Amino acid sequence: ELDHAWGKRCDALYKAELSALYHQKRERFFELADKLGKAVALFGGSAALWKVSSDGIVAGMAALVTASSALSLVFSFSERSKKHAELAKEFRVIIAEILAKSEFDINNADASSWMSKVYALEAKEPPSLSALTVACQNELAIARNEKKAVVSQPLHVRIFAQFLDMPQRALPNNNGEKV
C-alpha cells in the first residue's frame, strides 16, 4: 500500500510542479506584455515627442499606441497575468502540502486527496500551449537530473511557445517507444 501511495504522491507532486511552473511562465509573459503596452502608450503620448517629431513619426507612433492599446484591451494582459499568478500560487500550496507530509506517513487517502486537488485546479485552467508545456517539462527534467527525458525543441518553437499552440511531434524515448 505504501508503494502505491508513494507513486500517487510523486504523480501529484510532478503535476503540481509542472502546472505551477507553466503558470509562472504565463504570468511573466502577460505581465511583460502589459508593461510593454503601457510603456508604448506613455512614450507615444509624450507631448515632447510630438513637438520634435516629423509628421511621419507622429503618425507611426499614433498607430503604435493605438495598436498596443487595442491589444491590451482585447487580450486583457493584466487580467490574464493575475489569473495565472493565482493558479501558480494554488499549485504551490498543494506542493507545500505534499512536501510537509513525511514520506513515512503517506497513505492512500493523502495521495488521493492531493491528486484530487490537482485535478480540481486543472479544471480551472485555460487551455495549455503544448510547446510551452514541453519547455516546462524539460526544465523539470533538467532540475531532476533526468537529461534523457528532455525533448529537443527548435528555436522557432521556443520563440513562439507563448504565442501559438504548436503541438509537439511524439519523439522516441530511450526504448524506441513514442512518448
Side-chain angles (χ1 to χ4, degrees):
E1 182 181 323
L2 183 61
D3 287 342
H4 180 69
W6 181 256
K8 285 172 66 175
R9 176 245 186 225
C10 291
D11 290 345
L13 181 61
Y14 180 79
K15 289 176 78 55
E17 287 176 333
L18 178 63
S19 292
L21 180 60
Y22 177 89
H23 290 294
Q24 286 172 320
K25 288 185 176 300
R26 294 299 283 164
E27 174 196 2
R28 283 190 298 255
F29 172 76
F30 286 124
E31 188 175 319
L32 178 64
D34 184 53
K35 287 181 180 179
L36 285 175
K38 289 175 182 173
V40 166
L42 180 67
F43 182 72
S46 170
L49 176 70
W50 298 102
K51 289 183 179 181
V52 298
S53 299
S54 68
D55 289 342
I57 292 176
V58 169
M61 286 305 294
L64 190 59
V65 168
T66 302
S68 70
S69 298
L71 286 172
S72 185
L73 182 65
V74 170
F75 292 111
S76 305
F77 296 135
S78 180
E79 286 179 34
R80 287 182 181 207
S81 174
K82 289 175 188 169
K83 171 80 171 165
H84 285 286
E86 185 61 32
L87 285 167
K89 177 184 169 197
E90 291 182 50
F91 278 111
R92 287 192 303 270
V93 167
I94 295 171
I95 293 167
E97 189 178 319
I98 293 170
L99 295 176
K101 188 85 170 185
S102 166
E103 63 187 75
F104 301 108
D105 294 332
I106 295 171
N107 57 44
N108 276 325
D110 292 328
S112 293
S113 173
W114 296 325
M115 192 59 89
S116 175
K117 289 176 182 178
V118 168
Y119 281 122
L121 268 180
E122 285 179 345
K124 296 180 185 179
E125 292 179 311
S128 63
L129 299 172
S130 303
L132 185 59
T133 301
V134 171
C136 292
Q137 289 169 333
N138 286 345
E139 283 189 37
L140 286 177
I142 291 167
R144 293 171 177 213
N145 200 25
E146 298 171 355
K147 294 185 180 17
K148 291 180 181 179
V150 174
V151 175
S152 178
Q153 290 183 299
L155 180 61
H156 73 279
V157 169
R158 291 191 311 258
I159 290 171
F160 292 108
Q162 290 277 5
F163 298 97
L164 304 169
D165 188 22
M166 296 176 284
Q168 300 289 282
R169 189 181 78 218
L171 298 174
N173 64 13
N174 295 334
N175 301 328
E177 302 165 351
K178 297 280 185 176
V179 290

